[in-house]
């Protein structure tokens, strides 16, 4: 029997000597490796912008809200089909979460529902769309609505390294974007993340706030640093940065391989009752962080159990945020339905074609 894991990080062998070097140099906190990583990320077509490295994607979202000036006490629109982080930071920031429903074909936020929420609630100041599994959401349209209503848009790009929307990388849009380098994500470093800002002014402020507001730029012998504004303890460290840097040279290749795997899945599922969740426009490309399919809700759990029985790990991205006991509310029937039908399948770049065929055969077998 095969053993196919849902996640398989491939931290390149060349990382180890590089790690050894920073251990010998004796500095593993926030330092030069983080600055180099940030600089490299800002040059990548798949990321771009003014980059500030932090210790998680959740921290990245929270720092983004703060630096964007979203006022506590206002409301923020978040899609129901996302990881809890997207909503948790809104609550932590002192704002109210308004859950938006989704389009089940892409798993992404439903723009019509966003419009409706804006009509019903006059205190909305921000929206945090997610590019679900790497599939671009309707970001151009959301930006237009936001410009009309003077809303802040913060893109949750935890899945979206490499995402292409209407032939453009997300860096072409002037939004604040939050990325995750969590153990399961496209550039896993253990725990980590970054915020991409459209201006250097925002990034400079975030660089102070990520480490408690500590500013050593005017240091002298009697005063090592000044603090103008209380910040967070969110900074990245150089161990994480070394792990991240070592994965950048293979990044586009790994995204390409994941896209190939997804194409193979999609072809194999055509004319079956397994419905792939993929971009609907030919000018869009998934960043291929994950790949989900939908099956009949009454067969979903047995299908996952069957796959587990033949050695294939799967996941559920995501349970609708209104279904947890923490009191997040919204009228989100499509997100509810999606969460009962969805199965997220392995798509990491160490899968071979035979693995994909094996998963396809067992999934089709399990529901027929
Ligand atoms: C992983 C994830 C996050 C949070 O990232 P962490 O690095 O785990 O804090 C935020 N949003 C989405 C959609 C995610 O999948």
């Amino acid at each position: 029997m095969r053993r196919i894991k849902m996640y398989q990080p491939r931290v390149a062998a060349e990382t180890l000597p590089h790690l050894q070097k920073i251990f010998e140099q004796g500095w593993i906190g926030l330092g030069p490796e983080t600055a180099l990583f940030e600089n490299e990320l800002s040059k990548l077509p798949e990321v771009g912008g003014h980059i500030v490295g932090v210790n998680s994607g959740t921290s990245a979202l929270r720092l983004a809200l703060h630096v964007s000036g979203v006022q506590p006490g206002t409301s923020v629109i978040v899609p129901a089909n996302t990881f809890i982080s997207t909503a948790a930071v809104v609550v932590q920031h002192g704002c109210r979460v308004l859950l938006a429903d989704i389009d089940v074909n892409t798993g992404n936020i439903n723009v019509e529902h966003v419009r409706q929420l804006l009509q019903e609630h006059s205190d909305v100041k921000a929206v945090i769309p997610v590019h679900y599994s790497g599939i671009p959401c309707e970001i151009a349209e959301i930006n237009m609505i936001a410009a009309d209503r003077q809303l802040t848009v913060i893109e949750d790009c935890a899945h979206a390294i490499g995402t292409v929307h209407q032939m453009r990388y997300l860096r072409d849009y002037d939004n604040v974007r939050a990325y995750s380098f969590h153990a399961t994500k496209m550039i896993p470093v253990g725990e980590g993340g970054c915020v991409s800002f459209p201006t250097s002014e925002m990034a400079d402020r975030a660089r102070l706030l990520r480490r408690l507001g500590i500013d050593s730029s005017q240091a002298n012998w009697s005063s090592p640093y000044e603090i103008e504004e209380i910040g967070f303890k969110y900074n990245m460290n150089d161990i994480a940065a070394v792990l991240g840097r070592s994965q950048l040279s293979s990044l586009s290749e790994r995204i390409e391989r994941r896209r190939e795997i997804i194409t193979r899945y999609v072809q194999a599922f055509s004319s079956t009752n397994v419905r792939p969740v993929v971009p609907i426009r030919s000018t869009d490309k998934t960043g291929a962080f994950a790949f989900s399919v939908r099956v009949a809700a009454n067969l979903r759990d047995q299908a996952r159990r069957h796959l587990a029985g033949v050695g294939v790990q799967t996941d559920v991205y995501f349970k609708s945020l209104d279904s947890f006991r923490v009191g997040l509310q919204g009228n989100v029937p499509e997100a509810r339905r999606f969460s009962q039908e969805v199965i997220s399948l392995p798509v990491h770049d160490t899968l071979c074609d035979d693995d994909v065929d094996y998963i396809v055969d067992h999934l089709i077998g399990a529901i027929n």
Side-chain angles (χ1 to χ4, degrees):
M1 189 174 77
R2 287 178 196 240
R3 291 259 162 234
I4 304 178
K5 291 196 207 157
M6 186 71 192
Y7 311 103
Q8 185 66 63
R10 220 175 22 156
V11 180
E14 61 260 32
T15 311
L16 292 176
H18 202 146
L19 267 181
Q20 187 166 1
K21 197 184 85 192
I22 69 159
F23 285 128
E24 284 167 6
Q25 284 170 351
W27 181 251
I28 58 176
L30 171 63
E33 288 293 332
T34 301
L36 288 167
F37 187 34
E38 289 171 339
N39 191 33
E40 288 161 1
L41 288 166
S42 72
K43 292 193 173 118
L44 281 184
E46 293 91 346
V47 184
H50 300 268
I51 299 287
V52 178
V54 292
N55 59 1
S56 75
T58 309
S59 304
L61 286 164
R62 180 76 199 280
L63 189 60
L65 272 172
H66 193 93
V67 173
S68 301
V70 176
Q71 288 302 318
T74 61
S75 292
V76 177
I77 297 176
V78 168
N81 181 39
T82 181
F83 187 52
I84 187 64
S85 299
T86 324
V89 295
V90 173
V91 175
Q92 290 161 0
H93 191 67
C95 290
R96 183 158 67 121
V97 175
L98 298 178
L99 292 181
D101 210 358
I102 60 157
D103 173 349
V104 290
N105 295 303
T106 59
N108 274 324
I109 193 163
N110 177 327
V111 180
E112 272 319 304
H113 196 212
V114 171
R115 284 203 181 88
Q116 195 184 322
L117 287 170
L118 287 171
Q119 280 189 344
E120 292 165 2
H121 304 270
S122 57
D123 68 337
V124 178
K125 293 293 174 209
V127 48
I128 314 183
V130 178
H131 303 283
Y132 171 75
S133 76
I135 302 169
C137 71
E138 296 299 327
I139 191 63
E141 213 178 326
I142 291 170
N143 283 343
M144 258 158 45
I145 297 172
D148 243 31
R149 286 277 305 247
Q150 294 181 316
L151 305 179
T152 296
V153 178
I154 294 166
E155 295 175 59
D156 182 336
C157 288
H159 302 179
I161 293 174
T163 292
V164 173
H165 177 254
Q166 298 188 320
M167 316 250 268
R168 296 166 77 178
Y169 281 116
L170 298 176
R171 67 177 294 162
D172 287 356
Y173 301 88
D174 274 345
N175 291 326
V176 176
R177 299 188 304 279
Y179 292 87
S180 167
F181 307 130
H182 178 249
T184 59
K185 301 281 159 65
M186 199 70 201
I187 305 175
V189 304
E191 298 286 357
C194 73
V195 192
S196 165
F197 290 100
T199 67
S200 57
E201 288 76 16
M202 289 175 97
D204 288 345
R205 177 154 173 248
R207 216 164 264 127
L208 295 179
L209 290 174
R210 75 173 160 185
R211 192 165 161 267
L212 298 160
I214 293 174
D215 180 0
S216 349
S217 63
Q218 311 290 323
N220 59 48
W221 292 114
S222 66
S223 169
Y225 53 79
E226 186 49 82
I227 299 171
E228 306 278 358
E229 189 182 2
I230 293 284
F232 304 94
K233 177 59 178 149
Y234 283 171
N235 58 276
M236 182 171 268
N237 67 68
D238 276 9
I239 298 177
V242 166
L243 294 182
R245 291 187 69 202
S246 74
Q247 298 178 65
L248 294 186
S249 58
S250 63
L251 180 67
S252 358
E253 210 177 292
R254 287 184 292 119
I255 294 173
E256 252 341 290
R257 175 60 192 148
R258 283 169 178 246
R259 288 201 184 117
E260 260 173 44
I261 291 169
I262 291 174
T263 303
R264 192 172 184 91
Y265 272 126
V266 169
Q267 283 167 354
F269 289 134
S270 70
S271 54
T272 73
N273 41 11
V274 176
R275 275 160 298 176
V277 180
V278 283
I280 24 190
R281 260 191 305 257
S282 61
T283 51
D284 289 352
K285 272 194 204 171
T286 176
F289 157 67
F291 173 66
S292 295
V293 297
R294 292 188 296 129
V295 301
N298 61 335
L299 301 176
R300 197 271 304 273
D301 295 352
Q302 78 183 50
R304 290 194 66 216
R305 197 177 314 118
H306 177 80
L307 285 169
V310 296
V312 179
Q313 289 183 345
T314 61
D315 214 326
V316 170
Y317 293 154
F318 288 99
K319 253 183 88 170
S320 179
L321 289 186
D322 71 316
S323 65
F324 294 105
R325 295 200 193 108
V326 291
L328 298 168
Q329 284 164 7
N331 179 19
V332 292
E334 295 296 287
R336 281 255 171 178
R337 177 177 143 210
F338 189 86
S339 70
Q340 285 158 10
E341 296 178 344
V342 72
I343 307 178
S344 306
L345 299 173
V347 71
H348 54 78
D349 46 279
T350 60
L351 288 182
C352 63
D353 288 352
D354 280 351
D355 293 331
V356 176
D357 298 345
Y358 179 86
I359 296 167
V360 167
D361 290 345
H362 280 287
L363 177 52
I364 292 175
I367 60 169
N368 285 306

